[in-house]
Amino acid sequence: DTEVTQTPKHLVMGMTNKKSLKCEQHMGHRAMYWYKQKAKKPPELMFVYSYEKLSINESVPSRFSPECPNSSLLNLHLHALQPEDSALYLCASSQERSGLGEETQYFGPGTRLLVL
Amino acid sequence: AQKVTQAQTEISVVEKEDVTLDCVYETRDTTYYLFWYKQPPSGELVFLIRRNSFDEQNEISGRYSWNFQKSTSSFNFTITASQVVDSAVYFCALNSNSGYALNFGKGTSLLVTP
């Protein structure tokens, strides 16, 4: 079962709101990723968690705060976002057996975020 | 540095036509991995195939086939007898043993009309 789930599917928030995106996988994968995708663009990596530890932060602004409570869950906490942060946020996971570079990443359906 | 080029921005075909999506890559790594993903309008990126740099065997899966040629640094994707459900954006991506992030091409938007 190669399923990654994400909630909510859609989110509208104001610039002063605090919200969280959730991602869950039950494939026993030990690496989890957050990507941001703007319209008509490819996904861009934001964060990588490996064995529940943040291993990669691609210079993402601090208004995005990731959290990995356990090996199956990944959250992205949002605070004081800007309208330009409106995008599709995709979560992915991979096995993390022999290095991230060779692994297949499986993606969730994404959360479409609109910041007003 | 790694780079993936998908020169075709948009392709439109009529149902049952064959269509080939091009992917050209650049990398200095000797071991690398190539991927194709499909992104329908719903947004989910669906994994289609992964190919290792040391395995140039072509792959066929139903109506889908992939042609990997190291000599031309290409990993092209052909859909035979296209269907309306094939309408999506298709991304080619590259990674390597020294990397962690998928390097995506800009994607090719395929529209299949009845």
Side-chain angles (χ1 to χ4, degrees):
Chain A
D1 184 11
T2 55
E3 186 178 67
V4 177
T5 59
Q6 289 186 244
T7 55
K9 287 187 178 180
H10 301 274
L11 179 62
V12 180
M13 61 186 290
M15 288 190 284
T16 57
N17 292 157
K18 285 186 182 180
K19 296 286 185 184
S20 296
L21 309 185
K22 296 186 187 302
C23 173
E24 190 167 5
Q25 57 89 13
H26 292 289
M27 296 178 279
H29 289 176
R30 303 311 299 267
M32 296 186 77
Y33 311 73
W34 279 115
Y35 285 83
K36 174 183 177 179
Q37 186 179 21
K38 301 283 279 185
K40 298 189 184 297
K41 299 285 188 184
E44 295 177 349
L45 183 67
M46 300 174 73
F47 303 103
V48 181
Y49 272 83
S50 177
Y51 290 87
E52 299 156 54
K53 289 195 164 85
L54 182 64
S55 60
I56 303 291
N57 177 341
E58 293 286 271
S59 303
V60 179
S62 59
R63 57 186 183 267
F64 294 92
S65 175
E67 178 197 21
C68 191
N70 60 55
S71 59
S72 300
L73 289 173
L74 185 66
N75 297 323
L76 185 63
H77 302 298
L78 313 173
H79 174 53
L81 294 193
Q82 303 297 311
E84 59 263 30
D85 296 321
S86 298
L88 177 67
Y89 288 84
L90 292 160
C91 173
S93 70
S94 66
Q95 286 185 320
E96 182 48 316
R97 273 190 191 169
S98 52
L100 297 173
E102 65 177 273
E103 298 186 341
T104 298
Q105 295 180 26
Y106 296 93
F107 287 80
T111 294
R112 292 193 186 274
L113 174 67
L114 177 61
V115 182
L116 299 176
Chain B
Q2 298 187 335
K3 184 179 177 182
V4 174
T5 301
Q6 294 180 255
Q8 304 150 308
T9 305
E10 294 180 352
I11 300 176
S12 183
V13 299
V14 178
E15 210 171 15
K16 298 185 183 175
E17 284 185 22
D18 299 346
V19 58
T20 295
L21 310 182
D22 297 333
C23 173
V24 174
Y25 63 91
E26 297 174 31
T27 180
R28 293 182 180 176
D29 292 304
T30 54
T31 301
Y32 52 89
Y33 309 90
L34 293 161
F35 304 83
W36 275 96
Y37 285 88
K38 173 183 179 181
Q39 189 171 40
S42 59
E44 180 176 359
L45 271 168
V46 178
F47 166 70
L48 296 178
I49 190 170
R50 171 190 134 158
R51 177 60 75 217
N52 303 335
S53 56
F54 43 86
D55 181 5
E56 284 193 74
Q57 198 168 20
N58 290 332
E59 176 105 2
I60 297 175
S61 176
R63 297 184 296 107
Y64 295 172
S65 62
W66 291 269
N67 183 354
F68 176 30
Q69 292 196 335
K70 285 178 78 169
S71 60
T72 57
S73 297
S74 64
F75 186 40
N76 296 337
F77 173 30
T78 297
I79 301 174
T80 302
S82 59
Q83 301 176 0
V84 172
V85 294
D86 296 326
S87 297
V89 179
Y90 291 86
F91 289 98
C92 180
L94 168 69
N95 209 340
S96 68
N97 276 345
S98 61
Y100 52 87
L102 283 169
N103 290 279
F104 287 94
K106 292 186 176 181
T108 297
S109 179
L110 174 65
L111 177 64
V112 182
T113 54

